[in-house]
Amino acid sequence: METVEFTPTFDQYAWTFGGAEPALRVRPGTAMRLWTEDAYSGRIRKATDLPSACVDMNYLNPQTGPFHVEGAEPGDTLVLHFVDLEPARDWGVSTTIPFFGGLTGTDHTALLQEPLPEITWLYQVDAVKRALTFEAARSDFRLDLPLEPMLGTVGVAPGGREARSSLVPERFGGNMDTPEMRAGATCYLGVNVPGALFSVGDGHYRQGEGEACGTAVEGAMNVTLIVDLIKGGAPTWPRIEHDDAIIAVGSSRPLEDAWRIAQVEMVRWLGELYGLDRMDAYQLLSQTAKAPIANVVDTNYSSVVKIPKGLLPSSAAYDGIHRHLRESAAALRA
């Protein structure tokens, strides 16, 4: 398997999906070893650093990419299998940001009250124990939490010559912030422009569902992935496959519309997998689906619908490419 390594310099980051020239051209079937910077562009490094003083709001969520995939055309399905996600630093950071987050007044929910306090929490990472440490800012409380790396942002260029901020989740993927985007996951995205132009970034060392305060444990990440391509069959919205579940993601505001989008996408997927009539797929979904919230803080909210494979008849989504890529990933790690 051909392997490509790429560590961007600051001037090589992408800040949008669409509107950026490709950093590299790769062929389907290529393994890629990438480095991604954290959402703050690495500018918050200690507990006394506050976003309002350290972070330039024009440089949030730097993306590694975009990458042009040879042969990808609109209507095709881009396939990204995440082999490994490993912290690139021994610390991560989370903050509260004025008028940003799920439990504060925001520019969308305007209230006559002061913003919540701006605080930074630094998390030390123990790679051997696969843990990180929460230290309370206003007491001596400490707690070790499991290290659960994920990517907040995975996406392709949108169609129609659009350029969308890397803070936005939409049908092209983007800043979905779902913990389902972890090692072992295969992500399916509809191609909108020649070459797909995919980017990844926004590494999280762990994140609760919903990302309530607006930030996860943000950190630079070493990413190993395999890129592949399926001609045709583009999903309308992002899909994810694990060994034990199939997943669809919808992003919109209000939250119930994001939920509806993900549910409709899963109805479509069940129909494709089992030849079900739309109403039968709707009924099966209603009795089997789990619906974790990905985020309620981004410019669009993201909702997930997840069905355990153990509840469904055996099937091979996209001709079993997830299983094939899992086998390729095992060989890559050997």
Side-chain angles (χ1 to χ4, degrees), residues 24-40:
L24 292 175
R25 300 174 74 96
V26 298
R27 291 179 293 189
T30 299
M32 304 186 74
R33 300 188 190 276
L34 309 173
W35 190 89
T36 67
E37 183 54 280
D38 68 39
Y40 306 105

Side-chain angles (χ1 to χ4, degrees), residues 90-331:
D90 63 2
W91 53 270
V93 66
S94 187
T95 68
T96 46
I97 298 171
F99 298 117
F100 179 67
L103 300 179
T104 182
T106 71
D107 58 340
H108 286 72
T109 305
L111 302 173
L112 290 174
Q113 65 185 49
E114 295 300 313
L116 293 177
E118 191 175 20
I119 302 173
T120 295
W121 292 265
L122 198 69
Y123 288 75
Q124 296 300 321
V125 175
D126 188 324
V128 175
K129 294 182 178 179
R130 305 295 296 172
L132 45 79
T133 303
F134 167 72
E135 298 184 52
R138 296 180 172 180
S139 72
D140 58 1
F141 181 86
R142 292 168 57 95
L143 178 67
D144 285 342
L145 297 169
L147 185 64
E148 296 180 353
M150 52 163 280
L151 289 178
T153 308
V154 175
V156 295
R161 298 183 182 271
E162 278 193 290
R164 301 296 298 275
S165 165
S166 58
L167 298 173
V168 175
E170 237 277 3
R171 66 182 65 214
F172 57 85
N175 194 31
M176 296 175 282
D177 284 325
T178 171
E180 304 294 346
M181 204 72 74
R182 52 177 170 78
T186 300
C187 179
Y188 306 104
L189 296 166
V191 175
N192 304 300
V193 301
L197 299 181
F198 80 90
S199 302
V200 299
D202 190 23
H204 295 175
Y205 294 172
R206 71 168 292 116
Q207 179 208 300
E209 292 172 349
E211 200 180 16
C213 81
T215 61
V217 181
E218 311 284 342
M221 197 79 77
N222 292 312
V223 178
T224 303
L225 62 83
I226 303 172
V227 57
D228 216 326
L229 182 69
I230 297 169
K231 298 303 291 182
T236 306
W237 288 83
R239 297 175 179 179
I240 303 169
E241 184 175 1
H242 293 168
D243 288 349
D244 58 358
I246 56 173
I247 298 158
V249 185
S251 299
S252 187
R253 286 200 185 200
L255 181 59
E256 57 262 36
D257 280 353
W259 177 88
R260 291 184 180 108
I261 289 167
Q263 300 279 320
V264 168
E265 187 64 24
M266 185 58 76
V267 166
R268 294 191 185 109
W269 202 0
L270 289 171
E272 294 168 15
L273 288 173
Y274 302 111
L276 291 175
D277 174 83
R278 181 177 63 173
M279 294 304 294
D280 287 327
Y282 183 23
Q283 175 59 208
L284 181 59
L285 167 90
S286 299
Q287 311 312 331
T288 59
K290 299 181 179 180
I293 296 169
N295 88 79
V296 289
V297 294
D298 291 335
T299 52
N300 285 327
Y301 300 154
S302 295
S303 178
V304 168
V305 59
K306 178 177 182 178
I307 300 181
K309 287 182 176 178
L311 298 178
L312 298 172
S314 178
S315 65
Y318 297 102
D319 293 324
I321 196 168
H322 170 74
R323 181 180 300 172
H324 167 71
L325 292 176
R326 288 286 277 161
E327 293 169 354
S328 298

Side-chain angles (χ1 to χ4, degrees), residues 9-16 37-44 51 54-63 97 165-167 202 218:
T9 59
F10 188 84
D11 63 343
Q12 291 176 311
Y13 289 130
W15 307 96
T16 60
E37 183 54 280
D38 68 39
Y40 306 105
S41 293
R43 296 188 179 188
I44 297 182
C54 300
V55 176
D56 186 335
M57 299 302 287
N58 293 307
Y59 296 103
L60 290 174
N61 252 20
Q63 299 301 296
I97 298 171
S165 165
S166 58
L167 298 173
D202 190 23
E218 311 284 342

